[in-house]
Amino acid sequence: MKSIAIIFLALIYLTSCKDSKSSDINTSVNHDTHTNTEKAINSNNKTQDNENKRDSKIKESQEDWYWKNTIMSKNNSFDNWQEGAVELVMLFKFKGNDMHPKTIKVGTINASGEVNINLPSELKTERKLDNLGNLVFFDITDISNFNYDNGNTGYFSNTSFQVLKNGNVIGNLTMGNSVRTTYNLTNQSNLTQGDEGYLVYLVYVDEKAAMKGNETTTVKARRDGTNTIDAETTVVYNLNFKPGWNYVKTEVIGRYNLEHERGLDVSWFKKHEHTTIPNKPLEAEYFFRKNSY
């Protein structure tokens, strides 16, 4: 009996040891699994952080690109102006002489950086308001949406001024409230960008006239490396011209953000609104972009 009891106790001991080892193994496995999961999560978080940092640097680089060789005025004057006294001109192409366009002097920037606009009282216009060659934005797809009042009147306009120093073009000057918008709206390839803000430019007409247009369309908007989205865009022209010089404000209102594989800040406009305004807005400033060559 004694030996049977001893054997029985031995079996209990061995079983207990086995359960203990099994428990230790399970605990070890669970710990390793938890550790691996934590490592995977941390790795994913680190990867996401790196991607966010990369995207942030790319966007900062984009902003730097818009500001490359560009300065903005403050209260219509440039601080630390380095170009000396310069002239502001608008290109004026006479018929049959398009290879050598003439210019119209419209103002100056003095050696202290102060901008002075002095528009000529009269011009010899050569194009008509309803000549579609006048369009600088081409943001309406169906030209039949345009309606004119006195479309035969003479018309002249530039969206920016050339800056001349000693007779040589050293850059251009635009008016508005955004470095991106004033660049995008003067470059046809960037016209669909949705960076909000506005551009102001000058139009001269011989007689009282109007130009109206309204169009809403849906386009497949995309950027390289992205999926397309259905972007509804609206373009409104509400231009009522008085004889002589007029200010036109073209504003980008609303944007669609487009994901990009390289982290670029890309977008598509929701609305372009073109309106005549009585004067240059008080908050609008000048952007001087110096030629890089």
Side-chain angles (χ1 to χ4, degrees):
M1 283 296 291
K2 200 171 192 180
S3 60
I4 293 172
I6 292 173
I7 292 171
F8 179 72
L9 290 173
L11 288 171
I12 293 174
Y13 175 75
L14 289 173
T15 301
S16 175
C17 289
K18 184 177 179 181
D19 290 342
S20 176
K21 286 181 180 178
S22 176
S23 176
D24 290 343
I25 290 172
N26 288 336
T27 301
S28 176
V29 169
N30 290 337
H31 175 73
D32 290 344
T33 301
H34 181 69
T35 301
N36 290 336
T37 301
E38 281 189 338
K39 286 181 178 179
I41 292 173
N42 290 335
S43 177
N44 289 336
N45 289 339
K46 188 175 181 180
T47 299
Q48 187 61 50
D49 287 343
N50 289 336
E51 290 179 353
N52 289 340
K53 289 178 181 178
R54 179 207 64 186
D55 292 352
S56 178
K57 287 182 179 179
I58 290 173
K59 289 178 181 179
E60 288 176 6
S61 177
Q62 273 187 288
E63 191 68 15
D64 290 342
W65 181 86
Y66 275 103
W67 282 106
K68 184 178 180 181
N69 300 322
T70 301
I71 56 175
M72 183 180 75
S73 69
K74 183 177 181 181
N75 297 324
N76 301 326
S77 181
F78 292 100
D79 293 335
N80 302 315
W81 178 251
Q82 303 294 319
E83 307 302 330
V86 297
E87 292 185 339
L88 303 177
V89 302
M90 296 175 76
L91 288 180
F92 192 85
K93 295 184 178 181
F94 288 91
K95 290 180 179 178
N97 195 28
D98 288 349
M99 295 301 295
H100 303 283
K102 295 185 178 295
T103 58
I104 300 169
K105 184 176 178 180
V106 293
T108 61
I109 302 177
N110 65 22
S112 299
E114 296 173 344
V115 180
N116 295 289
I117 303 299
N118 186 18
L119 301 171
S121 57
E122 292 184 2
L123 287 181
K124 180 183 176 182
T125 58
E126 59 181 20
R127 282 188 170 181
K128 304 302 182 182
L129 177 62
D130 60 4
N131 183 338
L132 291 173
N134 293 327
L135 293 179
V136 292
F137 297 105
F138 295 99
D139 51 2
I140 280 186
T141 59
D142 184 357
I143 58 176
S144 67
N145 286 319
F146 282 119
N147 294 298
Y148 298 91
D149 181 8
N150 194 15
N152 288 322
T153 190
Y155 170 96
F156 168 74
S157 178
N158 288 171
T159 55
S160 60
F161 305 135
Q162 282 194 341
V163 182
L164 300 185
K165 184 175 182 179
N166 300 324
N168 298 313
V169 179
I170 64 170
N172 66 76
L173 194 76
T174 51
M175 296 181 284
N177 71 340
S178 162
V179 66
R180 290 193 177 211
T181 306
T182 51
Y183 179 87
N184 293 338
L185 289 180
T186 52
N187 291 272
Q188 186 66 31
S189 60
N190 288 49
L191 189 60
T192 58
Q193 292 275 41
D195 299 305
E196 293 187 276
Y198 62 81
L199 169 78
V200 175
Y201 65 99
L202 287 161
V203 171
Y204 181 92
V205 293
D206 291 338
E207 301 171 348
K208 182 180 178 181
M211 176 179 175
K212 310 284 185 175
N214 197 320
E215 179 183 79
T216 297
T217 57
T218 299
V219 299
K220 294 287 186 182
R222 72 177 298 274
R223 283 290 182 265
D224 291 342
T226 68
N227 295 321
T228 59
I229 66 168
D230 290 326
E232 184 179 87
T233 61
T234 299
V235 179
V236 177
Y237 282 81
N238 186 22
L239 305 178
N240 296 286
F241 298 114
K242 67 181 187 299
W245 291 100
N246 298 261
Y247 283 96
V248 175
K249 177 182 179 182
T250 294
E251 187 169 12
V252 180
I253 303 172
R255 59 179 280 162
Y256 295 97
N257 294 316
L258 303 177
E259 295 294 333
H260 198 288
E261 63 181 2
R262 296 199 305 274
L264 295 173
D265 179 16
V266 292
S267 61
W268 200 276
F269 79 97
K270 288 186 177 181
K271 185 177 184 180
H272 281 176
E273 189 170 83
H274 307 266
T275 55
T276 42
I277 55 178
N279 298 291
K280 173 177 168 288
L282 292 177
E283 73 278 8
E285 292 292 350
Y286 295 101
F287 293 85
F288 169 64
R289 294 179 173 87
K290 187 174 182 178
N291 292 341
S292 57
Y293 52 85

